[in-house]
Amino acid sequence: MNKVIAIYPGSFDPPTNGHLDLIARGSKIFDELVVAILRNPEKNPLFSLAERRVMLDALTADFTNVRVDTFDGLTVDYATQVGASAVLRGIRALSDYEYELQMALMNRKLRPELETVFMMPANQYSYLSSHLVREIAHLGGSIKGLVPEMVEERLREKIEAEKIDAVLKK
Ligand code: PNS
């Protein structure tokens, strides 16, 4: 039987425990899962592409059927390039649904044979997003339990560096 390859595309800025929960779930149902970080020059990411890749490589090292890659252009084109037949996306709350449905249906219009598979992360991550993690970290709140320790550490370093930069620019 053919291997079922799925891609899990996203910004992962930074990777959260919600992302890792979904990667763990996806790795159980797909033969191969490619975590695909979007190279998006329009967004102004906190972490560079290389930093996100290094973090995700380390965080997924224990999953034998998961690998990390970067891509640009259309998700459907990247999926074809790596031989994927499915796109994995997480749905946390009803509020995600509209945007996710729009993307899934547009991707289906572009590439009808590519299926989008939605999975729900564990309940404790249903309110978690990279955007909120960045905001809380910048404002000095605790992000313990929301991101892996390695990401917590990198965030702390990044924010310290930004503060030093701001002082030097004054
Ligand atoms: O983590 P995000 O930011 O919610 O991920 C969004 C992502 C990367 C899945 C989406 O922006 C995407 O697929 N971008 C690639 C360009 C593309 O294919 N656009 C058309 C989507 S219908």
PDB file of all heavy atoms in Angstrom, residues 8-13 19 36-38 40 43 71-77 87 89 99-100 102-107 110 130, ligand 1:
ATOM      1  N   TYR A   8       2.148  19.576   7.430  1.00  0.00           N
ATOM      2  CA  TYR A   8       1.545  20.398   8.480  1.00  0.00           C
ATOM      3  C   TYR A   8       2.139  21.802   8.307  1.00  0.00           C
ATOM      4  O   TYR A   8       3.194  22.108   8.839  1.00  0.00           O
ATOM      5  CB  TYR A   8       1.872  19.787   9.843  1.00  0.00           C
ATOM      6  CG  TYR A   8       1.356  20.569  11.045  1.00  0.00           C
ATOM      7  CD1 TYR A   8       0.222  21.358  10.978  1.00  0.00           C
ATOM      8  CD2 TYR A   8       2.024  20.502  12.270  1.00  0.00           C
ATOM      9  CE1 TYR A   8      -0.241  22.063  12.081  1.00  0.00           C
ATOM     10  CE2 TYR A   8       1.564  21.195  13.387  1.00  0.00           C
ATOM     11  CZ  TYR A   8       0.433  21.978  13.273  1.00  0.00           C
ATOM     12  OH  TYR A   8      -0.023  22.685  14.363  1.00  0.00           O
ATOM     13  N   PRO A   9       1.477  22.640   7.473  1.00  0.00           N
ATOM     14  CA  PRO A   9       2.051  23.956   7.180  1.00  0.00           C
ATOM     15  C   PRO A   9       1.690  24.989   8.240  1.00  0.00           C
ATOM     16  O   PRO A   9       0.633  24.908   8.868  1.00  0.00           O
ATOM     17  CB  PRO A   9       1.386  24.328   5.848  1.00  0.00           C
ATOM     18  CG  PRO A   9       0.040  23.682   5.907  1.00  0.00           C
ATOM     19  CD  PRO A   9       0.192  22.453   6.760  1.00  0.00           C
ATOM     20  N   GLY A  10       2.566  25.964   8.426  1.00  0.00           N
ATOM     21  CA  GLY A  10       2.254  27.022   9.383  1.00  0.00           C
ATOM     22  C   GLY A  10       3.412  27.979   9.529  1.00  0.00           C
ATOM     23  O   GLY A  10       4.458  27.826   8.894  1.00  0.00           O
ATOM     24  N   SER A  11       3.200  28.975  10.397  1.00  0.00           N
ATOM     25  CA  SER A  11       4.241  29.974  10.647  1.00  0.00           C
ATOM     26  C   SER A  11       5.152  29.547  11.810  1.00  0.00           C
ATOM     27  O   SER A  11       6.340  29.867  11.819  1.00  0.00           O
ATOM     28  CB  SER A  11       3.605  31.325  10.988  1.00  0.00           C
ATOM     29  OG  SER A  11       2.667  31.683  10.015  1.00  0.00           O
ATOM     30  N   PHE A  12       4.577  28.904  12.799  1.00  0.00           N
ATOM     31  CA  PHE A  12       5.335  28.385  13.957  1.00  0.00           C
ATOM     32  C   PHE A  12       6.260  29.451  14.564  1.00  0.00           C
ATOM     33  O   PHE A  12       7.449  29.210  14.779  1.00  0.00           O
ATOM     34  CB  PHE A  12       6.148  27.137  13.566  1.00  0.00           C
ATOM     35  CG  PHE A  12       5.321  26.049  12.933  1.00  0.00           C
ATOM     36  CD1 PHE A  12       5.327  25.854  11.556  1.00  0.00           C
ATOM     37  CD2 PHE A  12       4.511  25.241  13.713  1.00  0.00           C
ATOM     38  CE1 PHE A  12       4.547  24.868  10.964  1.00  0.00           C
ATOM     39  CE2 PHE A  12       3.728  24.252  13.129  1.00  0.00           C
ATOM     40  CZ  PHE A  12       3.752  24.058  11.753  1.00  0.00           C
ATOM     41  N   ASP A  13       5.707  30.617  14.829  1.00  0.00           N
ATOM     42  CA  ASP A  13       6.522  31.748  15.332  1.00  0.00           C
ATOM     43  C   ASP A  13       6.044  32.201  16.708  1.00  0.00           C
ATOM     44  O   ASP A  13       5.386  33.232  16.793  1.00  0.00           O
ATOM     45  CB  ASP A  13       6.441  32.897  14.311  1.00  0.00           C
ATOM     46  CG  ASP A  13       7.360  34.056  14.678  1.00  0.00           C
ATOM     47  OD1 ASP A  13       8.428  33.802  15.254  1.00  0.00           O
ATOM     48  OD2 ASP A  13       7.013  35.217  14.386  1.00  0.00           O
ATOM     49  N   HIS A  19       1.142  23.131  18.908  1.00  0.00           N
ATOM     50  CA  HIS A  19       1.702  22.592  17.662  1.00  0.00           C
ATOM     51  C   HIS A  19       2.261  21.190  17.896  1.00  0.00           C
ATOM     52  O   HIS A  19       2.041  20.285  17.098  1.00  0.00           O
ATOM     53  CB  HIS A  19       2.843  23.482  17.141  1.00  0.00           C
ATOM     54  CG  HIS A  19       2.413  24.842  16.665  1.00  0.00           C
ATOM     55  ND1 HIS A  19       3.014  26.001  17.094  1.00  0.00           N
ATOM     56  CD2 HIS A  19       1.447  25.219  15.787  1.00  0.00           C
ATOM     57  CE1 HIS A  19       2.448  27.039  16.486  1.00  0.00           C
ATOM     58  NE2 HIS A  19       1.485  26.597  15.706  1.00  0.00           N
ATOM     59  N   ALA A  36       5.952  21.960   7.786  1.00  0.00           N
ATOM     60  CA  ALA A  36       6.421  22.870   6.732  1.00  0.00           C
ATOM     61  C   ALA A  36       6.270  24.319   7.181  1.00  0.00           C
ATOM     62  O   ALA A  36       5.159  24.833   7.316  1.00  0.00           O
ATOM     63  CB  ALA A  36       5.632  22.620   5.448  1.00  0.00           C
ATOM     64  N   ILE A  37       7.416  24.964   7.404  1.00  0.00           N
ATOM     65  CA  ILE A  37       7.392  26.356   7.879  1.00  0.00           C
ATOM     66  C   ILE A  37       7.324  27.280   6.672  1.00  0.00           C
ATOM     67  O   ILE A  37       8.168  27.193   5.766  1.00  0.00           O
ATOM     68  CB  ILE A  37       8.664  26.701   8.690  1.00  0.00           C
ATOM     69  CG1 ILE A  37       8.994  25.584   9.691  1.00  0.00           C
ATOM     70  CG2 ILE A  37       8.505  28.040   9.405  1.00  0.00           C
ATOM     71  CD1 ILE A  37      10.381  25.725  10.317  1.00  0.00           C
ATOM     72  N   LEU A  38       6.325  28.161   6.689  1.00  0.00           N
ATOM     73  CA  LEU A  38       6.167  29.096   5.562  1.00  0.00           C
ATOM     74  C   LEU A  38       7.242  30.174   5.604  1.00  0.00           C
ATOM     75  O   LEU A  38       7.459  30.813   6.627  1.00  0.00           O
ATOM     76  CB  LEU A  38       4.779  29.754   5.630  1.00  0.00           C
ATOM     77  CG  LEU A  38       4.495  30.802   4.548  1.00  0.00           C
ATOM     78  CD1 LEU A  38       4.412  30.158   3.162  1.00  0.00           C
ATOM     79  CD2 LEU A  38       3.208  31.557   4.857  1.00  0.00           C
ATOM     80  N   ASN A  40       7.715  33.494   4.723  1.00  0.00           N
ATOM     81  CA  ASN A  40       6.802  34.561   4.329  1.00  0.00           C
ATOM     82  C   ASN A  40       7.431  35.934   4.562  1.00  0.00           C
ATOM     83  O   ASN A  40       7.382  36.464   5.657  1.00  0.00           O
ATOM     84  CB  ASN A  40       5.494  34.432   5.128  1.00  0.00           C
ATOM     85  CG  ASN A  40       4.439  35.392   4.631  1.00  0.00           C
ATOM     86  OD1 ASN A  40       4.744  36.271   3.826  1.00  0.00           O
ATOM     87  ND2 ASN A  40       3.226  35.233   5.107  1.00  0.00           N
ATOM     88  N   LYS A  43       5.314  38.863   6.379  1.00  0.00           N
ATOM     89  CA  LYS A  43       5.174  38.930   7.835  1.00  0.00           C
ATOM     90  C   LYS A  43       6.512  39.348   8.414  1.00  0.00           C
ATOM     91  O   LYS A  43       7.550  39.138   7.814  1.00  0.00           O
ATOM     92  CB  LYS A  43       4.782  37.561   8.388  1.00  0.00           C
ATOM     93  CG  LYS A  43       3.305  37.267   8.249  1.00  0.00           C
ATOM     94  CD  LYS A  43       2.975  36.040   9.083  1.00  0.00           C
ATOM     95  CE  LYS A  43       1.510  35.697   9.026  1.00  0.00           C
ATOM     96  NZ  LYS A  43       1.202  34.460   9.750  1.00  0.00           N
ATOM     97  N   PHE A  71       9.055  26.223   3.158  1.00  0.00           N
ATOM     98  CA  PHE A  71       8.525  26.345   1.793  1.00  0.00           C
ATOM     99  C   PHE A  71       8.072  27.768   1.527  1.00  0.00           C
ATOM    100  O   PHE A  71       7.836  28.533   2.467  1.00  0.00           O
ATOM    101  CB  PHE A  71       7.370  25.360   1.553  1.00  0.00           C
ATOM    102  CG  PHE A  71       6.036  25.779   2.159  1.00  0.00           C
ATOM    103  CD1 PHE A  71       5.016  26.266   1.346  1.00  0.00           C
ATOM    104  CD2 PHE A  71       5.805  25.698   3.521  1.00  0.00           C
ATOM    105  CE1 PHE A  71       3.779  26.650   1.881  1.00  0.00           C
ATOM    106  CE2 PHE A  71       4.584  26.080   4.070  1.00  0.00           C
ATOM    107  CZ  PHE A  71       3.567  26.560   3.248  1.00  0.00           C
ATOM    108  N   ASP A  72       7.975  28.107   0.232  1.00  0.00           N
ATOM    109  CA  ASP A  72       7.269  29.339  -0.115  1.00  0.00           C
ATOM    110  C   ASP A  72       6.358  29.020  -1.288  1.00  0.00           C
ATOM    111  O   ASP A  72       6.332  27.907  -1.786  1.00  0.00           O
ATOM    112  CB  ASP A  72       8.217  30.515  -0.384  1.00  0.00           C
ATOM    113  CG  ASP A  72       9.283  30.192  -1.386  1.00  0.00           C
ATOM    114  OD1 ASP A  72       9.097  29.213  -2.131  1.00  0.00           O
ATOM    115  OD2 ASP A  72      10.299  30.890  -1.431  1.00  0.00           O
ATOM    116  N   GLY A  73       5.559  30.000  -1.678  1.00  0.00           N
ATOM    117  CA  GLY A  73       4.577  29.738  -2.737  1.00  0.00           C
ATOM    118  C   GLY A  73       3.344  29.091  -2.155  1.00  0.00           C
ATOM    119  O   GLY A  73       3.098  29.154  -0.939  1.00  0.00           O
ATOM    120  N   LEU A  74       2.593  28.436  -3.025  1.00  0.00           N
ATOM    121  CA  LEU A  74       1.323  27.844  -2.589  1.00  0.00           C
ATOM    122  C   LEU A  74       1.536  26.551  -1.806  1.00  0.00           C
ATOM    123  O   LEU A  74       2.363  25.711  -2.185  1.00  0.00           O
ATOM    124  CB  LEU A  74       0.446  27.542  -3.800  1.00  0.00           C
ATOM    125  CG  LEU A  74      -0.175  28.740  -4.527  1.00  0.00           C
ATOM    126  CD1 LEU A  74      -0.888  28.277  -5.795  1.00  0.00           C
ATOM    127  CD2 LEU A  74      -1.162  29.474  -3.606  1.00  0.00           C
ATOM    128  N   THR A  75       0.737  26.389  -0.767  1.00  0.00           N
ATOM    129  CA  THR A  75       0.775  25.155   0.022  1.00  0.00           C
ATOM    130  C   THR A  75       0.484  23.936  -0.861  1.00  0.00           C
ATOM    131  O   THR A  75       1.124  22.897  -0.738  1.00  0.00           O
ATOM    132  CB  THR A  75      -0.264  25.260   1.167  1.00  0.00           C
ATOM    133  OG1 THR A  75       0.224  26.249   2.075  1.00  0.00           O
ATOM    134  CG2 THR A  75      -0.448  23.962   1.897  1.00  0.00           C
ATOM    135  N   VAL A  76      -0.493  24.076  -1.778  1.00  0.00           N
ATOM    136  CA  VAL A  76      -0.849  22.923  -2.631  1.00  0.00           C
ATOM    137  C   VAL A  76       0.334  22.517  -3.532  1.00  0.00           C
ATOM    138  O   VAL A  76       0.529  21.329  -3.789  1.00  0.00           O
ATOM    139  CB  VAL A  76      -2.111  23.202  -3.491  1.00  0.00           C
ATOM    140  CG1 VAL A  76      -3.352  23.314  -2.633  1.00  0.00           C
ATOM    141  CG2 VAL A  76      -1.943  24.425  -4.370  1.00  0.00           C
ATOM    142  N   ASP A  77       1.104  23.497  -3.987  1.00  0.00           N
ATOM    143  CA  ASP A  77       2.257  23.174  -4.839  1.00  0.00           C
ATOM    144  C   ASP A  77       3.348  22.476  -4.025  1.00  0.00           C
ATOM    145  O   ASP A  77       3.972  21.525  -4.491  1.00  0.00           O
ATOM    146  CB  ASP A  77       2.837  24.449  -5.486  1.00  0.00           C
ATOM    147  CG  ASP A  77       1.911  24.997  -6.553  1.00  0.00           C
ATOM    148  OD1 ASP A  77       1.057  24.241  -7.035  1.00  0.00           O
ATOM    149  OD2 ASP A  77       2.048  26.188  -6.882  1.00  0.00           O
ATOM    150  N   VAL A  87      -3.222  17.665   3.979  1.00  0.00           N
ATOM    151  CA  VAL A  87      -2.732  18.837   4.711  1.00  0.00           C
ATOM    152  C   VAL A  87      -3.336  18.738   6.100  1.00  0.00           C
ATOM    153  O   VAL A  87      -4.559  18.603   6.239  1.00  0.00           O
ATOM    154  CB  VAL A  87      -3.226  20.151   4.055  1.00  0.00           C
ATOM    155  CG1 VAL A  87      -2.774  21.365   4.867  1.00  0.00           C
ATOM    156  CG2 VAL A  87      -2.741  20.268   2.629  1.00  0.00           C
ATOM    157  N   ARG A  89      -4.229  20.443   9.629  1.00  0.00           N
ATOM    158  CA  ARG A  89      -4.394  21.742  10.300  1.00  0.00           C
ATOM    159  C   ARG A  89      -5.115  21.515  11.625  1.00  0.00           C
ATOM    160  O   ARG A  89      -5.943  20.610  11.759  1.00  0.00           O
ATOM    161  CB  ARG A  89      -5.220  22.696   9.432  1.00  0.00           C
ATOM    162  CG  ARG A  89      -4.532  23.194   8.191  1.00  0.00           C
ATOM    163  CD  ARG A  89      -3.415  24.193   8.452  1.00  0.00           C
ATOM    164  NE  ARG A  89      -3.912  25.493   8.907  1.00  0.00           N
ATOM    165  CZ  ARG A  89      -3.133  26.470   9.351  1.00  0.00           C
ATOM    166  NH1 ARG A  89      -1.822  26.299   9.433  1.00  0.00           N
ATOM    167  NH2 ARG A  89      -3.647  27.616   9.737  1.00  0.00           N
ATOM    168  N   TYR A  99     -11.949  30.621   8.962  1.00  0.00           N
ATOM    169  CA  TYR A  99     -10.704  30.818   8.220  1.00  0.00           C
ATOM    170  C   TYR A  99     -10.170  29.487   7.698  1.00  0.00           C
ATOM    171  O   TYR A  99      -9.745  29.381   6.537  1.00  0.00           O
ATOM    172  CB  TYR A  99      -9.696  31.504   9.150  1.00  0.00           C
ATOM    173  CG  TYR A  99      -8.287  31.595   8.638  1.00  0.00           C
ATOM    174  CD1 TYR A  99      -7.982  32.295   7.474  1.00  0.00           C
ATOM    175  CD2 TYR A  99      -7.229  31.004   9.346  1.00  0.00           C
ATOM    176  CE1 TYR A  99      -6.674  32.387   7.020  1.00  0.00           C
ATOM    177  CE2 TYR A  99      -5.921  31.092   8.902  1.00  0.00           C
ATOM    178  CZ  TYR A  99      -5.653  31.779   7.739  1.00  0.00           C
ATOM    179  OH  TYR A  99      -4.357  31.862   7.296  1.00  0.00           O
ATOM    180  N   GLU A 100     -10.209  28.479   8.544  1.00  0.00           N
ATOM    181  CA  GLU A 100      -9.674  27.171   8.153  1.00  0.00           C
ATOM    182  C   GLU A 100     -10.514  26.553   7.030  1.00  0.00           C
ATOM    183  O   GLU A 100      -9.988  25.937   6.118  1.00  0.00           O
ATOM    184  CB  GLU A 100      -9.618  26.230   9.364  1.00  0.00           C
ATOM    185  CG  GLU A 100      -8.600  26.643  10.408  1.00  0.00           C
ATOM    186  CD  GLU A 100      -7.157  26.653   9.891  1.00  0.00           C
ATOM    187  OE1 GLU A 100      -6.846  25.910   8.945  1.00  0.00           O
ATOM    188  OE2 GLU A 100      -6.346  27.422  10.433  1.00  0.00           O
ATOM    189  N   GLN A 102     -12.284  28.209   4.834  1.00  0.00           N
ATOM    190  CA  GLN A 102     -12.001  28.993   3.630  1.00  0.00           C
ATOM    191  C   GLN A 102     -10.707  28.504   2.967  1.00  0.00           C
ATOM    192  O   GLN A 102     -10.657  28.282   1.758  1.00  0.00           O
ATOM    193  CB  GLN A 102     -11.864  30.460   4.048  1.00  0.00           C
ATOM    194  CG  GLN A 102     -11.836  31.421   2.898  1.00  0.00           C
ATOM    195  CD  GLN A 102     -11.629  32.862   3.378  1.00  0.00           C
ATOM    196  OE1 GLN A 102     -11.232  33.102   4.522  1.00  0.00           O
ATOM    197  NE2 GLN A 102     -11.883  33.803   2.512  1.00  0.00           N
ATOM    198  N   MET A 103      -9.663  28.306   3.796  1.00  0.00           N
ATOM    199  CA  MET A 103      -8.389  27.837   3.243  1.00  0.00           C
ATOM    200  C   MET A 103      -8.525  26.429   2.670  1.00  0.00           C
ATOM    201  O   MET A 103      -8.026  26.137   1.580  1.00  0.00           O
ATOM    202  CB  MET A 103      -7.320  27.822   4.341  1.00  0.00           C
ATOM    203  CG  MET A 103      -6.515  29.092   4.389  1.00  0.00           C
ATOM    204  SD  MET A 103      -4.884  28.858   5.091  1.00  0.00           S
ATOM    205  CE  MET A 103      -5.227  28.157   6.662  1.00  0.00           C
ATOM    206  N   ALA A 104      -9.204  25.559   3.415  1.00  0.00           N
ATOM    207  CA  ALA A 104      -9.340  24.164   2.976  1.00  0.00           C
ATOM    208  C   ALA A 104     -10.096  24.097   1.650  1.00  0.00           C
ATOM    209  O   ALA A 104      -9.708  23.361   0.731  1.00  0.00           O
ATOM    210  CB  ALA A 104     -10.060  23.343   4.045  1.00  0.00           C
ATOM    211  N   LEU A 105     -11.166  24.903   1.533  1.00  0.00           N
ATOM    212  CA  LEU A 105     -11.964  24.850   0.302  1.00  0.00           C
ATOM    213  C   LEU A 105     -11.214  25.478  -0.871  1.00  0.00           C
ATOM    214  O   LEU A 105     -11.315  25.013  -2.003  1.00  0.00           O
ATOM    215  CB  LEU A 105     -13.327  25.519   0.519  1.00  0.00           C
ATOM    216  CG  LEU A 105     -14.237  24.788   1.522  1.00  0.00           C
ATOM    217  CD1 LEU A 105     -15.555  25.512   1.693  1.00  0.00           C
ATOM    218  CD2 LEU A 105     -14.484  23.340   1.097  1.00  0.00           C
ATOM    219  N   MET A 106     -10.446  26.519  -0.577  1.00  0.00           N
ATOM    220  CA  MET A 106      -9.646  27.144  -1.642  1.00  0.00           C
ATOM    221  C   MET A 106      -8.553  26.174  -2.088  1.00  0.00           C
ATOM    222  O   MET A 106      -8.313  26.009  -3.294  1.00  0.00           O
ATOM    223  CB  MET A 106      -9.032  28.455  -1.125  1.00  0.00           C
ATOM    224  CG  MET A 106      -8.393  29.288  -2.196  1.00  0.00           C
ATOM    225  SD  MET A 106      -9.515  29.680  -3.541  1.00  0.00           S
ATOM    226  CE  MET A 106     -10.275  31.170  -2.907  1.00  0.00           C
ATOM    227  N   ASN A 107      -7.921  25.516  -1.131  1.00  0.00           N
ATOM    228  CA  ASN A 107      -6.903  24.519  -1.499  1.00  0.00           C
ATOM    229  C   ASN A 107      -7.529  23.383  -2.305  1.00  0.00           C
ATOM    230  O   ASN A 107      -6.921  22.857  -3.239  1.00  0.00           O
ATOM    231  CB  ASN A 107      -6.206  23.968  -0.249  1.00  0.00           C
ATOM    232  CG  ASN A 107      -5.185  24.960   0.299  1.00  0.00           C
ATOM    233  OD1 ASN A 107      -4.668  25.808  -0.428  1.00  0.00           O
ATOM    234  ND2 ASN A 107      -4.894  24.867   1.583  1.00  0.00           N
ATOM    235  N   LEU A 110      -7.949  24.519  -5.781  1.00  0.00           N
ATOM    236  CA  LEU A 110      -6.670  24.541  -6.493  1.00  0.00           C
ATOM    237  C   LEU A 110      -6.164  23.137  -6.789  1.00  0.00           C
ATOM    238  O   LEU A 110      -5.527  22.896  -7.809  1.00  0.00           O
ATOM    239  CB  LEU A 110      -5.617  25.290  -5.655  1.00  0.00           C
ATOM    240  CG  LEU A 110      -5.856  26.791  -5.433  1.00  0.00           C
ATOM    241  CD1 LEU A 110      -4.907  27.326  -4.363  1.00  0.00           C
ATOM    242  CD2 LEU A 110      -5.652  27.557  -6.738  1.00  0.00           C
ATOM    243  N   SER A 130       0.459  31.216  18.916  1.00  0.00           N
ATOM    244  CA  SER A 130       1.809  31.804  18.887  1.00  0.00           C
ATOM    245  C   SER A 130       1.723  33.301  19.126  1.00  0.00           C
ATOM    246  O   SER A 130       2.571  33.887  19.803  1.00  0.00           O
ATOM    247  CB  SER A 130       2.467  31.558  17.530  1.00  0.00           C
ATOM    248  OG  SER A 130       2.668  30.199  17.321  1.00  0.00           O
TER     249      SER A 130
HETATM  250  O1  PNS B   1       0.319  29.212  11.078  1.00  0.00           O
HETATM  251  P1  PNS B   1      -0.512  29.988  10.100  1.00  0.00           P
HETATM  252  O2  PNS B   1       0.080  31.366   9.930  1.00  0.00           O
HETATM  253  O3  PNS B   1      -1.970  30.009  10.464  1.00  0.00           O
HETATM  254  O4  PNS B   1      -0.386  29.218   8.687  1.00  0.00           O
HETATM  255  C1  PNS B   1      -1.030  29.710   7.553  1.00  0.00           C
HETATM  256  C2  PNS B   1      -0.583  28.944   6.295  1.00  0.00           C
HETATM  257  C3  PNS B   1       0.925  28.898   6.181  1.00  0.00           C
HETATM  258  C4  PNS B   1      -1.108  27.528   6.336  1.00  0.00           C
HETATM  259  C5  PNS B   1      -1.205  29.689   5.065  1.00  0.00           C
HETATM  260  O5  PNS B   1      -0.912  31.051   5.142  1.00  0.00           O
HETATM  261  C6  PNS B   1      -0.698  29.162   3.733  1.00  0.00           C
HETATM  262  O6  PNS B   1      -1.057  28.065   3.310  1.00  0.00           O
HETATM  263  N1  PNS B   1       0.165  29.948   3.063  1.00  0.00           N
HETATM  264  C7  PNS B   1       0.828  29.581   1.827  1.00  0.00           C
HETATM  265  C8  PNS B   1       0.275  30.353   0.629  1.00  0.00           C
HETATM  266  C9  PNS B   1      -1.020  29.734   0.131  1.00  0.00           C
HETATM  267  O7  PNS B   1      -1.071  28.584  -0.261  1.00  0.00           O
HETATM  268  N2  PNS B   1      -2.098  30.539   0.161  1.00  0.00           N
HETATM  269  C10 PNS B   1      -3.432  30.111  -0.229  1.00  0.00           C
HETATM  270  C11 PNS B   1      -4.116  29.420   0.947  1.00  0.00           C
HETATM  271  S1  PNS B   1      -5.739  28.971   0.512  1.00  0.00           S
END
